[in-house]
Amino acid sequence: MGFEDALLAGLAGDGGLYVPESWPRLSEAMIAGFADKSFQEIAVSVLHPFMSDDVPRDRLAEMVNEAYACFEHEAVTPLTDLGDGHYFLELYHGPTLAFKDVAMQLLARLMDDALVRRGERATIIGATSGDTGGAAIEAFRGREAVDVFILFPDGRVSDVQRKQMTTPQDANVHTLSVDGTFDDCQALVKGMFNDAPFRADMSLAGVNSINWARVMAQITYYFVAAAKLGAPRQAVAFSVPTGNFGDIFAGYVAAQMGLPVAQLMIATNVNDILARTLVSGVYETDKVIATQSPSMDIQVSSNFERLLFEVTGRDAARVRALMGALTQAGRFEMNDKEMQLMRALFGAERVDEAATLDIMRRFREAHGFQIDPHSAVGMGAAEKAVLPDGVPIVTLATAHPAKFPKAVAAAYDAEPDTPRRVLDMLEEEERLTPVANDLVAVENAIREKARLV
Ligand SMILES: *Cc1c(COP(=O)(O)O)cnc(C)c1O
């Protein structure tokens, strides 16, 4: 199976997740050369090794340039020096103001390009806890070869997030509000992919963070930030606001590709399954608690399965057994060796609701601008990181504060500094379809609206 097949399929036929057979290594000289290269140039060097035979380098460069032309900052993902060894990597300058634009804008082009070349069409299905949906709709709207259906948990996303999904009026994009949680939405998407006839009829493709190409596209900015801070001579740590484990897994891949990563800090809100796992070795689901950082209100982190594959020494049978135990009993236990491998690179910190608001306030006092609650969770975890002397830590700022006006009001007693394009969007008309938390009902709604058959 090649890169493009995995790109178009999303989830593997057996319910598992795709990973490359091996990790490409970049030379130290190449990484050193990134220090004065643009984001776009670094993206081509980092990503092309994953798709060598399927996408010519020149074609990738064209798609990369198009994908990032819609970002409002010329550096695409600017790095701000906060002092005391802390850095803030602003991933929110894309059209929907969250880091998911970075991967989605490229993914949409890679997919459309592959489909058009093959003379095929696809139906894209995704679940969102808030940010993925808008990013997908924005990236795919109006494209000829794809229809997009996004499921979101009714009442659990912010107004701005919902409107980013429901205001585009293009005939090929659809938003379904599900009477349930994000995990329910994710289970429905998994259910549709596991329904072989439905999957074949609709030519289903996935763009959730389980799609390998999305994780891949996020590797770029780890290299961009670390090269600015002196890699490969200098090791760098990252604090990553984590939900589905896609963004931080991209950091793991960067490390496998030769980037000197001192630590990857898993930053979670009170939905802290990953932080608990790192301490106890037991991965055990709990109830989802609604927080101010809804994009991290998750109990099952899909991409954690990819890390399991790695720390078990790529033992597919073991991963299948662990995932089976999770489905049956809601928990599994990792062994000592697996935990040792995980703790060698990963740390984890939980930041509760009061601390999140406190960090938002302290950040503005110290640095003069508002931050969003997800980025605040990242900052809180970065502050707790214990690192060797001289190792800088980069907090991934995953969303713009304008997406979370309630948290901004609670922290700052003020309106968020909202970009003009968002204010205009809030005035536009919404279009959405409410659906029950039921596989058949959702499949019927999609069959009815898709242009495919
Ligand atoms: C999606 C999202 C996250 C979590 O990223 P994962 O890749 O799912 O771990 C964090 N912050 C924001 C703002 C997000 O949209």
Side-chain angles (χ1 to χ4, degrees):
M1 139 124 13
F3 169 76
E4 258 180 28
D5 299 312
L7 165 76
L8 295 175
L11 197 66
D14 63 0
L17 308 185
Y18 291 117
V19 282
E21 272 166 30
S22 61
W23 302 120
R25 292 285 295 187
L26 303 187
S27 69
E28 291 200 357
M30 180 183 268
I31 298 171
F34 288 166
D36 43 39
K37 291 239 158 53
S38 69
F39 180 100
Q40 288 86 342
E41 289 169 311
I42 295 171
V44 173
S45 296
V46 168
L47 305 182
H48 194 252
F50 290 103
M51 56 185 86
S52 43
D53 295 336
D54 286 357
V55 186
R57 200 181 159 96
D58 289 353
R59 181 70 194 115
L60 176 63
E62 276 170 28
M63 287 188 272
V64 162
N65 286 333
E66 272 178 46
Y68 300 115
C70 63
F71 278 60
E72 298 252 297
H73 200 289
E74 63 169 6
V76 184
T77 59
L79 184 68
T80 302
D81 185 351
L82 304 176
D84 296 329
H86 283 271
Y87 293 82
F88 202 62
L89 184 62
E90 297 174 14
L91 303 176
Y92 50 69
H93 294 283
T96 70
L97 309 181
F99 86 96
K100 292 187 173 72
D101 289 326
V102 178
M104 206 64 83
Q105 287 291 331
L106 183 59
L107 181 78
R109 284 164 176 86
L110 287 167
M111 275 193 166
D112 211 43
D113 192 62
L115 287 167
V116 167
R117 219 171 335 101
R118 294 172 175 214
E120 293 173 10
R121 302 181 48 85
T123 304
I124 283 168
I125 303 222
T128 186
S129 59
D131 289 332
T132 310
I137 284 173
E138 196 55 55
F140 282 96
R141 61 190 291 189
R143 279 175 205 278
E144 204 30 58
V146 276
D147 288 337
V148 178
F149 292 86
I150 298 296
L151 281 62
F152 78 91
D154 190 27
R156 292 182 192 240
V157 303
S158 76
D159 282 0
V160 176
Q161 287 177 323
R162 193 187 67 251
K163 290 201 175 174
Q164 282 177 331
M165 292 188 272
T166 57
T167 55
Q169 300 292 329
D170 309 66
N172 72 322
V173 294
H174 307 273
T175 306
L176 310 179
S177 64
V178 175
D179 184 12
T181 65
F182 170 64
D183 288 340
D184 294 330
C185 295
Q186 222 172 7
L188 286 167
V189 168
K190 252 198 163 178
M192 286 186 264
F193 273 95
N194 290 338
D195 177 348
F198 184 76
R199 178 178 178 152
D201 286 356
M202 311 303 293
S203 297
L204 285 197
V207 295
N208 260 10
S209 65
I210 49 179
N211 188 305
W212 158 248
R214 254 191 73 193
V215 175
M216 178 197 75
Q218 292 166 358
I219 302 167
T220 303
Y221 46 73
Y222 286 90
F223 278 94
V224 168
K228 286 218 168 61
L229 297 177
R233 276 175 297 99
Q234 172 67 58
V236 177
F238 293 89
S239 176
V240 187
T242 295
N244 243 331
F245 210 76
D247 203 6
I248 198 163
F249 189 75
Y252 170 86
V253 178
Q256 307 316 303
M257 293 175 75
L259 192 71
V261 175
Q263 188 176 46
L264 292 169
M265 179 64 90
I266 304 165
T268 77
N269 63 27
V270 293
N271 295 287
D272 61 349
I273 181 166
L274 292 166
R276 285 185 282 119
T277 303
L278 205 71
V279 174
S280 66
V282 180
Y283 186 96
E284 186 160 28
T285 57
D286 204 340
K287 273 211 200 69
V288 181
I289 301 166
T291 72
Q292 303 162 103
S293 45
S295 298
M296 305 194 294
D297 291 351
I298 281 168
Q299 281 295 335
V300 180
S301 279
S302 327
N303 279 291
F304 191 64
E305 189 176 331
R306 289 193 159 104
L307 185 67
L308 281 180
F309 188 56
E310 294 289 296
V311 298
T312 57
R314 301 200 146 206
D315 181 346
R318 168 101 176 125
V319 174
R320 203 174 300 123
L322 293 176
M323 296 316 290
L326 184 65
T327 310
Q328 308 247 299
R331 74 195 293 277
F332 61 75
E333 282 180 38
M334 295 169 69
N335 66 31
D336 288 347
K337 183 157 174 254
E338 291 156 1
M339 288 312 298
Q340 217 177 342
L341 283 170
M342 193 174 153
R343 289 185 187 121
L345 187 58
F346 290 88
E349 291 291 347
R350 164 196 207 263
V351 178
D352 70 20
E353 294 289 274
T356 302
L357 292 179
D358 180 53
I359 293 156
M360 289 172 74
R361 276 182 215 114
R362 278 198 285 114
F363 191 100
R364 190 180 62 172
E365 273 159 32
H367 309 295
F369 61 101
Q370 298 176 346
I371 60 172
D372 101 289
H374 303 77
S375 308
V377 167
M379 274 310 300
E383 285 171 0
K384 293 186 198 166
V386 181
L387 295 167
D389 274 358
V391 172
I393 184 160
V394 176
T395 295
L396 272 51
T398 51
H400 190 285
K403 291 197 91 163
F404 302 96
K406 274 201 196 117
V408 165
Y412 302 123
D413 197 17
E415 299 274 306
D417 304 327
T418 305
R420 184 76 242 164
R421 54 183 168 160
V422 175
L423 295 173
D424 291 345
M425 180 200 70
L426 291 176
E427 301 303 315
E428 288 167 27
E429 198 182 321
E430 290 190 74
R431 185 173 59 102
L432 82 162
T433 308
V435 286
N437 177 17
D438 175 76
L439 186 60
V440 174
V442 174
E443 287 183 348
N444 286 341
I446 291 174
R447 278 187 194 274
E448 200 177 291
K449 291 183 190 306
R451 299 177 301 174
L452 190 69
V453 276

